[in-house]
Amino acid sequence: MSDSVTPKKVKQPQFILMVEDVNKTFDGFKAISNLNFYMDKGELRTIIGPNGAGKSTFLDLITGRTRPDSGHILYGEEDHDLTKLREYAINRLGVARKFQTPSVYDDHTVFDNLLLSLPESRGVFSSIVFRLNSEASDRIDDILKTIRLADSQKTMAGNLSHGQKQWLEIGMLLAQRPKLLLVDEPAAGMSDEETERTGELLLSLEGKHSIIVIEHDMEFVRQIARKVTVLHQGSVLKEGTMDQVQSDPTVAEVYLGRNHTTTAA
Ligand code: ADP
Ligand code: MG
């Protein structure tokens, strides 16, 4: 039982997230195995690892979509144990997740998509009904600048490029003022230019939010890399700078393929 596990580390005030001894088995298969993970507030952390390493499952465990078999996931200043909370409650505590496929309201403008995402407009599905005060309007302007869609604010979201939709969705999450932002493979399907812009966007959020980015595209990882965590078979195999991770022979073996040495795939 998770209650009988004593945390190994005292949760430091600077931690936004402290994951200890987390296990998750699916039909006898250990997707997450004695996982320990510590992250500081304001960090931009990148998680890499081969297919099936447990990366998406890890996000599912943080957001409450999946329950672990054992272990603790302590979050925020009040040390909420996320393993004991439901998905909506975790979201209310400031944990926001961006899935791989963008989900925006195609028939609404970029501006209205952001407006509808403000917590103040919760439940109000019409921008006519919701009174736009100047504070909300300033906030939307800020987000439009951050995601670089100010020039497209009147465009129907359905007419945006794939990359622009992804940025809009990140903007919609930012509208919720998340403390912890989880982003699963944001560069998938993007052009090189869009990928680079996405990297710049994520870097601009560093310090203001705590961010976990899961990514496959190594060039992109290199662009945004601060501390990089390598997951393998549901555990942390290696953690460090991009150079430390890439020069590690065990990482090269499991992640980059047995025939590679230190060159990234
Ligand atoms: P990654 O995102 O690193 O590619 P995942 O977390 O998606 O890996 O998956 C880790 C392993 O757990 C995989 O072998 C996957 O098949 C398995 N798995 C993930 N979710 C489920 C589920 N809901 N039911 C059964 N097996 C699952
Ligand atoms: Mg995945």
Side-chain angles (χ1 to χ4, degrees):
M1 291 295 290
S2 53
D3 287 327
S4 63
V5 180
T6 316
K8 288 192 289 202
K9 280 198 192 182
V10 175
K11 187 165 174 297
Q12 304 294 314
Q14 78 268 19
F15 288 164
I16 180 93
L17 198 63
M18 177 168 106
V19 175
E20 289 197 322
D21 298 322
V22 167
N23 289 282
K24 179 65 191 178
T25 302
F26 293 113
D27 305 322
F29 176 80
K30 245 186 167 205
I32 296 291
S33 177
N34 294 316
L35 181 64
N36 295 293
F37 180 91
Y38 307 87
M39 183 171 151
D40 286 345
K41 212 182 293 171
E43 242 192 82
L44 170 57
R45 179 75 66 96
T46 310
I47 300 182
I48 63 174
N51 267 334
K55 303 181 298 296
S56 296
T57 303
F58 181 42
L59 296 192
D60 291 342
L61 291 166
I62 295 170
T63 58
R65 199 176 194 222
T66 300
R67 298 253 159 226
D69 304 327
S70 59
H72 292 284
I73 302 178
L74 298 185
Y75 161 79
E77 273 152 35
E78 283 148 20
D79 293 358
H80 293 281
D81 189 342
L82 301 185
T83 66
K84 296 186 169 52
L85 297 172
R86 288 175 185 276
E87 233 175 326
Y88 76 88
I90 292 172
N91 182 251
R92 286 280 171 101
L93 288 173
V95 179
R97 176 177 190 174
K98 159 104 188 61
F99 286 93
Q100 271 171 259
T101 40
S103 60
V104 298
Y105 305 111
D106 279 346
D107 300 335
H108 287 265
T109 63
V110 166
F111 186 94
D112 282 352
N113 267 274
L114 294 171
L115 179 61
L116 292 166
S117 304
L118 290 178
E120 303 92 290
S121 76
R122 193 171 275 153
V124 181
F125 220 84
S126 161
S127 51
I128 301 160
V129 178
F130 176 68
R131 273 169 189 254
L132 184 62
N133 59 38
S134 64
E135 199 189 314
S137 160
D138 287 351
R139 176 128 185 84
I140 294 175
D141 285 346
D142 271 356
I143 295 171
L144 281 167
K145 276 188 208 122
T146 304
I147 61 175
R148 297 205 220 168
L149 287 179
D151 292 343
S152 309
Q153 57 180 295
K154 291 184 180 145
T155 304
M156 289 294 165
N159 294 332
L160 296 175
S161 73
H162 171 73
Q164 289 175 319
K165 279 189 191 177
Q166 299 279 20
W167 303 331
L168 175 57
E169 200 187 0
I170 291 174
M172 290 162 74
L173 294 174
L174 293 177
Q176 300 173 21
R177 301 178 194 272
K179 294 191 180 94
L180 177 60
L181 185 59
L182 310 172
V183 191
D184 204 347
E185 297 191 35
M190 284 190 182
S191 68
D192 289 350
E193 198 195 329
E194 286 177 333
T195 300
E196 196 177 337
R197 273 185 159 229
T198 303
E200 288 165 9
L201 166 56
L202 292 170
L203 287 167
S204 79
L205 302 177
E206 187 183 17
K208 296 178 200 155
H209 306 266
S210 309
I211 311 161
I212 296 179
V213 182
I214 289 181
E215 191 47 61
H216 274 297
D217 179 335
M218 275 302 142
E219 205 176 319
F220 179 65
V221 172
R222 186 167 275 290
Q223 183 195 349
I224 62 167
R226 298 293 192 241
K227 193 188 249 187
V228 178
T229 298
V230 185
L231 269 195
H232 175 56
Q233 296 178 349
S235 303
V236 174
L237 178 71
K238 176 83 185 173
E239 214 161 61
T241 63
M242 189 69 184
D243 285 340
Q244 286 169 340
V245 159
Q246 275 198 307
S247 60
D248 188 277
T250 56
V251 173
E253 193 176 322
V254 305
Y255 184 67
L256 304 170
R258 272 159 196 76
N259 296 325
H260 288 77
T261 48
T262 54
T263 39

